Amino acid sequence: MGPRPVTGRIIETQDDVAEGVAHLTALCPRMAHAHAQTGPLPLRRKPDGFAELLSAIVSQQVSTASAAAIWGRMKTAGLTGPRKIKWASDDDLRAVGLSRQKIRYARALSDAGINFTALRGAPTDEVIATLTQVPGIGTWTAEIYAMFSLGRADVFAPGDLALQEAARLLYDLPERPRDRALREMATAWSPWRSVAARQLWAYYRVAKQREGIR
């Protein structure tokens, strides 16, 4: 075997997700219970690059429907690339639905000059550090990008409220674990932390549906 790639394992297919599930369910009876409730987990791979992060900025603090509408207008106007954002006036960006703060974030992203191709081969810590230097991109957004746009198998997003609540329910905790506590819990799920995240999100949806029926 050659040296381990600095990116760690990359999730590219449904078989990769299934391999992670097999590891986690053998490791932890609670994960096995969650998987029995949810069935197979989604691949959830997304494109990488500028537009994916710009879309994440657009989605912040608005409903899914509003984000989709704004993003649709931006695509129609051709405002999804760094040069187009630089050339656009504030009025152009306001016209598609961006707030003053999001205009600032979009311009910061276009000015950052991130080499997205290079990020594909960078260690996850470096990916997170590079992305979070851009105003408007927090740790959660960067972790989600590493997880789904870059396919990193061993990244987690402990600040995610649904993951916190799912962990509380699945592990019968007295309260929802906060970011630091959940990050510590997640070390046990390495090297498949992003599959553990998929499992917890799926379990959260099942658990909430069950509560709704009661």
Side-chain angles (χ1 to χ4, degrees):
M1 287 179 63
R4 185 171 178 267
V6 295
T7 59
R9 182 70 179 271
I10 301 295
I11 292 176
E12 294 174 330
T13 68
Q14 202 69 50
D15 287 346
D16 296 325
V17 176
E19 185 181 338
V21 167
H23 173 88
L24 292 167
T25 54
L27 176 78
C28 174
R30 302 262 178 150
M31 280 285 176
H33 168 75
H35 193 66
Q37 301 282 309
T38 64
L41 303 179
L43 179 60
R44 289 184 71 169
R45 277 301 302 265
K46 292 182 174 183
D48 69 332
F50 180 89
E52 193 64 32
L53 281 171
L54 182 61
S55 174
I57 288 171
V58 167
S59 299
Q60 290 171 5
Q61 298 176 320
V62 297
S63 69
T64 303
S66 294
I70 295 167
W71 188 243
R73 290 195 292 270
M74 291 179 74
K75 287 200 291 188
T76 299
L79 294 171
T80 59
R83 285 179 297 179
K84 291 294 183 69
I85 294 294
K86 284 182 182 179
W87 296 338
S89 68
D90 283 3
D91 284 345
D92 292 333
L93 296 173
R94 270 196 294 271
V96 295
L98 292 187
S99 65
R100 182 181 302 169
Q101 184 183 57
K102 288 185 181 178
I103 290 171
R104 184 168 71 83
Y105 291 163
R107 294 201 188 285
L109 181 61
S110 69
D111 290 341
I114 294 169
N115 183 336
F116 290 102
T117 303
L119 281 189
R120 294 174 187 171
T124 297
D125 288 351
E126 186 180 315
V127 172
I128 305 297
T130 298
L131 297 182
T132 54
Q133 285 172 6
V134 180
I137 298 180
T139 302
W140 180 86
T141 299
E143 287 165 341
I144 295 297
Y145 182 88
M147 197 181 294
F148 295 127
S149 291
L150 298 180
R152 303 298 168 88
D154 198 29
V155 63
F156 199 74
D160 187 278
L161 294 181
L163 291 180
Q164 293 176 4
E165 179 65 6
R168 182 187 74 80
L169 292 167
L170 183 59
Y171 289 90
D172 197 23
L173 303 175
E175 59 183 16
R176 205 168 64 204
R178 300 298 186 232
D179 189 321
R180 185 178 294 181
L182 187 53
R183 191 178 295 278
E184 183 65 30
M185 272 184 76
T187 59
W189 304 321
S190 185
W192 291 103
R193 280 177 281 190
S194 77
V195 176
R198 286 169 171 83
Q199 182 62 75
L200 288 171
W201 275 313
Y203 182 72
Y204 175 82
R205 285 191 293 274
V206 168
K208 289 301 169 186
Q209 283 171 358
R210 203 164 51 225
E211 282 185 6
I213 290 167
R214 280 213 307 267

